[in-house]
Every structure is written in structure tokens, then in C-alpha cells.
Amino acid sequence: MPGRLTGKVALITGATGGIGSATADLFAREGACLVIADLDAEALRALAVRLEAKGADVLAARLDVSSSESWDEAIELTRRRFGRLDVLVNVAGIVDWPGIEGTTRESWDRVIAVNQTGTWLGMKAAMPLLRASGNASIVNTSSVLGLVGSGAAAAYQASKGAVRLLTKTAAVEYATQGVRVNSVHPGVIATPMIQDLLDEQGDGQPDIVRTPMRRAGRPAEIAPAMLFLAGDESSFVTGTELVVDGGLTAY
């Protein structure tokens, strides 16, 4: 039987990270041709080898999401290799933990450049190919911290809140142009980005304590949300938030 993404070309940023690699694995199993994009060239090669060994058609593209030139190069490589693009999944992101007074201008600018500007640049660069698909989907990765406050991580929260509303305005703009745009909002997920924090604080990590399921999620538990929004089963879903957080925002 064909997979849920058979015939589709999907570009995933932050592809070597926890959520990115889990999403790439699932998309490959569901039949997608993949453009895996990240800054880490060595990790990209390793991921490409692993996916190709499973039979996937893979293009690895080194990408700095904060650079418009880098985005243009990645999209051109995609056009040359596959001639189309049907799915864009913006996963790449970084975190900075200080609050308002503890955040430096340098760290603020970097977080905004990657998480917020990088998401906008990706949509902007990919949109001509996505519109040409006629049945395309963009999945932007926000966070539960794009929905509620935490009293910390000021730059990260600002960027993820911006991703949420950027997603909505893009959804409205392209609703009649064959491009759906949605956001996924993970809770506490055991990814390399926060693993040190989880190792240090264990079950006493405050957000885990506040999570009704009392545990961190796994990247493989986020990937199916990406798959649903990327595929045709969500054909009437645009401009919405899909929260995957173990109940953290249910209170």
C-alpha cells in the first residue's frame, strides 16, 4: 500500500535534531522524498545514509535558516533535484533560558533570527514551489511557550509566540492558493536541546511537574502530528495549533 506521503517532496529544517530526525524517519516510512536541511554537515550525511538505507530518496542540504541566501540555495537545490516541493516543516530552533533582565541583546537577536526570522524566510523562499504544487502544507514548530508564559526564556517565548501568529496570517494569505499553514506546539520533549536540563533536574523539572502525564515526551510522539498536518488527511485544516504536551496547557 502507498504511504500517506507517497508522491510528495518534503523539506525538513533542523533535520538532525530530535524532532527533526524523528519526523524525517516517519516521513520516509510514509513514502516522501526528503530534503533534510541543517547546519551540521557531518550529522546530515549520517542521517542521509540512514534514510537511504531504508529506501528513501534523500537530498541533504546544509542550511542556515537565518540567512536568506542559504534558503535560496536550498530551495534551488530542491527544484533541481525534485522539480517540486509539497511540504515544508520548519523545525530548526534554539533556546535561551534567561528572563527579561538576564537576556542579552546578542542572545535575543540570535534566538529571534533562528526561530522567528528563520521560519519567515523559509516560508518566503519556499512559497513559489509550494504554490506550484497546488496541494501544499507548511508545518511550523512553535511550542507550548508560544501559548502560555513561564516567567523565563524571554527570547524563546517571544519567538515562539511570533511563530504562532505568523502561521495564522500566512494561513489566511494562502488559503485559496493551495497552501495550508499550521503550527505544532510541543510541550517538554526529551531532545538534545534540553537534555542537559532534564538530566540535571530529573522528575523535579518544573514543567514536568506541571505536566499531568508527569513525564517528558519523546520526539517520536511529535512526528505523527507533523505527519497529520503534512498529509492530505488534514486537507481542511489551516491556521490552527496542534498542541502535543501531555496536558501541560490543559489547566
Side-chain angles (χ1 to χ4, degrees):
M1 293 179 61
R4 293 159 72 183
L5 296 180
T6 297
K8 295 184 183 293
V9 176
L11 190 160
I12 302 170
T13 74
T16 68
I19 293 175
S21 61
T23 300
D25 283 333
L26 181 56
F27 279 24
R29 291 198 300 272
E30 292 293 340
C33 297
L34 291 174
V35 183
I36 52 172
D38 209 304
L39 268 176
D40 189 334
E42 184 175 343
L44 267 179
R45 285 192 293 270
L47 178 59
V49 168
R50 189 177 87 231
L51 293 170
E52 289 169 344
K54 298 177 181 179
D57 191 353
V58 180
L59 169 66
R62 190 173 185 276
L63 172 65
D64 175 359
V65 297
S66 68
S67 164
S68 58
E69 293 79 11
S70 188
W71 265 111
D72 289 342
E73 291 171 5
I75 294 301
E76 178 59 18
L77 286 173
T78 301
R79 187 192 64 78
R80 290 180 183 177
R81 173 69 174 271
F82 296 113
R84 62 182 297 145
L85 182 63
D86 306 284
V87 178
L88 171 63
V89 184
N90 283 309
V91 180
I94 58 176
V95 67
D96 189 50
W97 296 112
I100 297 296
E101 293 179 84
T103 299
T104 66
R105 179 60 187 266
E106 181 182 14
S107 61
W108 174 276
D109 288 346
R110 181 57 182 160
V111 171
I112 297 300
V114 173
N115 297 0
Q116 179 177 334
T117 305
T119 298
W120 163 65
L121 286 174
M123 292 196 292
K124 180 180 175 69
M127 198 59 75
L129 276 183
L130 292 169
R131 283 203 315 269
S133 164
N135 182 27
S137 174
I138 296 173
V139 186
N140 293 326
T141 307
S142 180
S143 168
V144 292
L145 297 187
L147 298 170
V148 298
S150 72
Y156 182 80
Q157 291 224 213
S159 69
K160 292 304 186 178
V163 167
R164 173 178 175 264
L165 284 183
L166 182 63
T167 296
K168 288 184 176 295
T169 197
V172 173
E173 182 174 357
Y174 294 99
T176 60
Q177 300 183 48
V179 182
R180 296 180 296 104
V181 192
N182 294 285
S183 56
V184 170
H185 296 251
V188 183
I189 308 299
T191 67
M193 187 170 72
I194 68 165
Q195 192 60 56
D196 288 346
L197 183 68
L198 295 177
D199 291 342
E200 176 186 335
Q201 298 181 351
D203 291 341
Q205 205 283 327
D207 286 330
I208 292 180
V209 172
R210 289 196 294 269
T211 298
M213 294 183 73
R214 294 295 189 272
R215 67 173 177 86
R218 303 184 304 275
E221 293 177 299
I222 304 300
M226 305 293 196
L227 175 62
F228 169 68
L229 292 174
D232 293 338
E233 291 168 314
S234 58
S235 59
F236 198 53
V237 180
T238 196
T240 196
E241 307 99 350
L242 180 48
V243 180
V244 190
D245 70 350
L248 179 58
T249 56
Y251 291 112

